Amino acid sequence: MNLAAQAGVRYSIENPDVYIQSNIIGFYNILEACRRHPVNHLVYASSSSVYGANKKVPFEETDFVDTPVSLYASTKKSNELMAHTYSHLYNIPATGLRFFTVYGPMGRPDMAYFGFANKYFNGEPIRIFNNGDFENDLYRDFTYIDDIVEGIVRLLCNPPQGEGVKHNVFNIGNNNPEKLMVFIHTLEKALSNALGRKVEFDKIYEPMKAGDVPATYASTKLLQEAVGFKPQTPIEEGLQKFADWYVDYYNVK
């Protein structure tokens, strides 16, 4: 299972070199290792970012994904192409997983929900990149970490079978996108519950950032057919677990 990568859309604009080194060269090294020391199944992380600004929803694995809008997305699409090639040339069973906005305890501090919590406890306002347009707010298919792990574990033991190139791609998302502002209000409520007092972020609304996409929405039909599972943790439950962990881990009041 290869989850190693330089993640994040916005940082790929600021520092593209680390994405090429980690996501292209690094993944090439993984493929070469699998070629020279054969494995039963290589499972690797792709991203919902490969869908770019696709307006057809929900996103399906058969959709056209040749118009990425960030270098990060380009590197993840490249990973899928590289894995397909190595599967074809060297008969390496491989599966790429397109993750949709993964969140939860011990997550990435650069993710929005984690950054919002940090800023609140530092007495700083949060910046929301949706133009303050609540009617046409950004949508995200937020996927709780435990659902991601369950999907990975089930797929690890199910390598591609049959004739042809042994390479599959699956969406792992919640199949239930939420407006960004709904997610933020739910996080405020979760932190309020964890602290026993009302939490309300000081909000600053700004335009969308370059590389951001208006919506992500996963079709999970193929994943269900393959392993009988679909992510379904609601954000109320997932964000409460994050808030409880955050308050305990950082010992904030």
Side-chain angles (χ1 to χ4, degrees):
M1 178 69 215
N2 177 51
L3 292 172
Q6 180 66 52
V9 168
R10 293 172 192 157
Y11 189 56
S12 71
I13 296 172
E14 300 170 23
N15 196 346
D17 186 64
V18 298
Y19 287 76
I20 300 302
Q21 294 299 323
S22 293
N23 298 3
I24 302 297
I25 304 302
F27 189 60
Y28 157 75
N29 289 332
I30 293 289
L31 292 171
E32 275 292 295
C34 291
R35 168 192 173 190
R36 299 174 187 279
H37 305 277
V39 296
N40 293 327
H41 188 198
L42 167 64
V43 178
Y44 65 94
S46 184
S47 169
S48 62
S49 296
V50 301
Y51 290 106
N54 192 350
K55 291 182 171 57
K56 171 189 164 293
V57 293
F59 299 162
E60 297 181 303
E61 292 87 344
T62 53
D63 289 347
F64 183 75
V65 289
D66 287 350
T67 54
V69 296
S70 69
L71 180 65
Y72 170 64
S74 296
T75 63
K76 286 305 188 180
K77 172 61 177 174
S78 298
N79 287 172
E80 294 181 5
L81 294 172
M82 294 161 69
H84 184 277
T85 300
Y86 269 71
S87 293
H88 168 70
L89 291 175
Y90 307 113
N91 198 34
I92 300 170
T95 298
L97 306 180
R98 293 174 177 171
F99 297 142
F100 282 69
T101 316
V102 185
Y103 74 100
M106 297 184 71
R108 280 177 23 221
D110 64 305
M111 293 284 282
Y113 72 99
F114 209 124
F116 292 161
N118 286 342
K119 286 188 177 299
Y120 173 77
F121 289 106
N122 287 332
E124 302 173 24
I126 68 170
R127 298 182 181 275
I128 303 170
F129 304 108
N130 65 355
N131 297 301
D133 184 355
F134 306 142
E135 288 298 314
N136 300 293
D137 201 358
L138 304 182
Y139 281 82
R140 290 290 179 270
D141 209 344
F142 298 99
T143 313
Y144 187 62
I145 183 62
D146 287 10
D147 287 333
I148 294 289
V149 172
E150 179 70 19
I152 288 172
V153 169
R154 292 193 184 210
L155 282 167
L156 269 171
C157 300
N158 285 274
Q161 304 289 339
E163 300 296 321
V165 179
K166 293 181 174 58
H167 177 253
N168 287 334
V169 173
F170 292 103
N171 291 335
I172 296 194
N174 215 41
N175 191 227
N176 184 34
E178 300 279 1
K179 283 186 175 184
L180 179 58
M181 290 308 300
V182 171
F183 189 80
I184 290 171
H185 291 318
T186 304
L187 177 57
E188 288 175 325
K189 184 176 180 180
L191 286 169
S192 298
N193 292 339
L195 291 165
R197 61 178 174 83
K198 184 174 177 58
V199 169
E200 186 170 350
F201 301 141
D202 182 13
K203 305 174 183 72
I204 297 175
Y205 300 99
E206 298 185 354
M208 280 180 64
K209 289 286 189 179
D212 279 357
V213 297
T216 63
Y217 183 0
S219 166
T220 55
K221 180 181 177 183
L222 290 185
L223 180 67
Q224 286 178 266
E225 291 175 351
V227 293
F229 172 75
K230 65 168 287 189
Q232 52 191 1
T233 302
I235 59 171
E236 292 81 5
E237 179 182 335
L239 283 176
Q240 191 61 62
K241 289 182 178 179
F242 164 73
D244 292 343
W245 167 82
Y246 187 100
V247 168
D248 178 66
Y249 186 81
Y250 290 106
N251 192 28
V252 290
K253 305 297 182 185

